[in-house]
Amino acid sequence: METARFLEILDAEGQLLAAAAERAGTDAKVPTCPGWQVGDLLRHTGTVHRWAAAHIAERRMTPNRPDSPPDLDGGALLAWFREGHRTLVDTLASAPPDVECWTFMPAPSPLAFWTRRQAHETAVHRVDAESALGTASTPLAPDFATDGIDELLLGFHARPKSQVRTDEPRVLRVRATDRDDAVWAVRLTSEPPAAERVTARAELVGQDADCEVTGPAAALYLALWNRQPFPAVSGDPALAALWQEKSAV
């Protein structure tokens, strides 16, 4: 996906998040984030937006701790969130393509990294905000969800921080049922997961999986981020349960 597309998604997802938060109210519970209220969600996401924008705007070459969120609530908190989201979108839109700054996962460029990362950050938390309404969430585009699975499996969980590990080597396969090019083999060992995206043809003649999770790309994306159960699980369900228990990032 192109950086411009990620920017469009980031813009739209932030507006949807704010709209859902306004409808639910900042005191509403967030079912997908146990223990959180909508206000906590706004403070977290608004802080991350400002933190990300600062790396681009200030050309930061080392990571900085995010600032503490303000002591705001209600309409003032919503306005603060909207301001930070707009600043992030505008900062990314106006940054030169060759801008240099710190990133924490491989990417074609820092601008591509931050635009993609914040699009997914905001989309997942938009789903959280809509869960507070108790209604079905706005659908995610299959290509965007597929990219998000790529980012999670090949990026986040390739890092040493990942706790999804097994004493004996196992293979978890992730298969999107609505795309022909969306199959991942995730090799689990005592080291961080080693995932690769494979074509359906290559996967069919490749090694067997100990467990396979399947479903539409959007449903798998949210399940892998622990926002909903896996649509379907075959093989050893303990591996799917391990993911849900240990995959928080």
Side-chain angles (χ1 to χ4, degrees), residues 2 21-22 39 52 73 76-77 82 84 90 101 115 136 146 151 185 213 229 232 244:
E2 297 293 330
E22 187 169 26
D73 211 344
L77 179 58
R82 285 185 166 113
D90 290 347
C101 66
T115 310
T146 299
E151 187 202 42
V213 294
Q244 292 176 321

Side-chain angles (χ1 to χ4, degrees), residues 23-197:
R23 287 174 58 199
T26 55
D27 292 335
K29 293 181 179 180
V30 181
T32 52
C33 298
W36 272 23
Q37 295 178 316
V38 168
D40 299 310
L41 185 65
L42 290 172
R43 293 182 194 96
H44 166 78
T45 313
T47 297
V48 171
H49 283 172
R50 286 166 168 78
W51 175 75
H55 283 86
I56 291 286
E58 300 172 15
R59 313 303 198 258
R60 293 180 178 177
M61 299 306 296
T62 56
N64 287 47
R65 284 187 174 276
D67 294 334
S68 297
D71 185 18
L72 298 173
D73 211 344
L77 179 58
L78 272 161
W80 174 84
F81 171 82
R82 285 185 166 113
E83 178 186 34
H85 170 249
R86 178 49 46 199
T87 296
L88 173 61
V89 171
D90 290 347
T91 298
L92 292 167
S94 62
D98 60 351
V99 63
E100 291 292 332
C101 66
W102 174 80
T103 63
F104 59 87
M105 290 191 295
S109 70
L111 183 61
F113 166 80
W114 283 110
T115 310
R116 179 199 199 195
R117 174 81 288 278
Q118 290 308 301
H120 287 296
E121 175 85 12
T122 308
V124 170
H125 289 315
R126 182 269 296 167
V127 171
D128 293 332
E130 290 182 342
S131 78
L133 295 171
T135 58
S137 63
T138 304
L140 291 158
D143 61 338
F144 177 68
T146 299
D147 179 83
I149 297 172
D150 257 349
E151 187 202 42
L152 184 62
L153 297 181
L154 305 181
F156 272 107
H157 284 286
R159 300 185 301 164
K161 291 181 179 181
S162 178
Q163 297 301 307
V164 185
R165 305 182 186 214
T166 55
D167 293 332
E168 298 294 331
R170 309 294 299 280
V171 175
L172 172 67
R173 187 159 57 219
V174 178
R175 183 198 300 272
T177 54
D178 56 346
R179 291 181 64 88
D180 293 334
D181 61 344
V183 181
W184 296 262
V186 186
R187 293 171 177 82
L188 303 176
T189 65
S190 59
E191 298 297 320
E196 63 174 329
R197 186 167 170 183

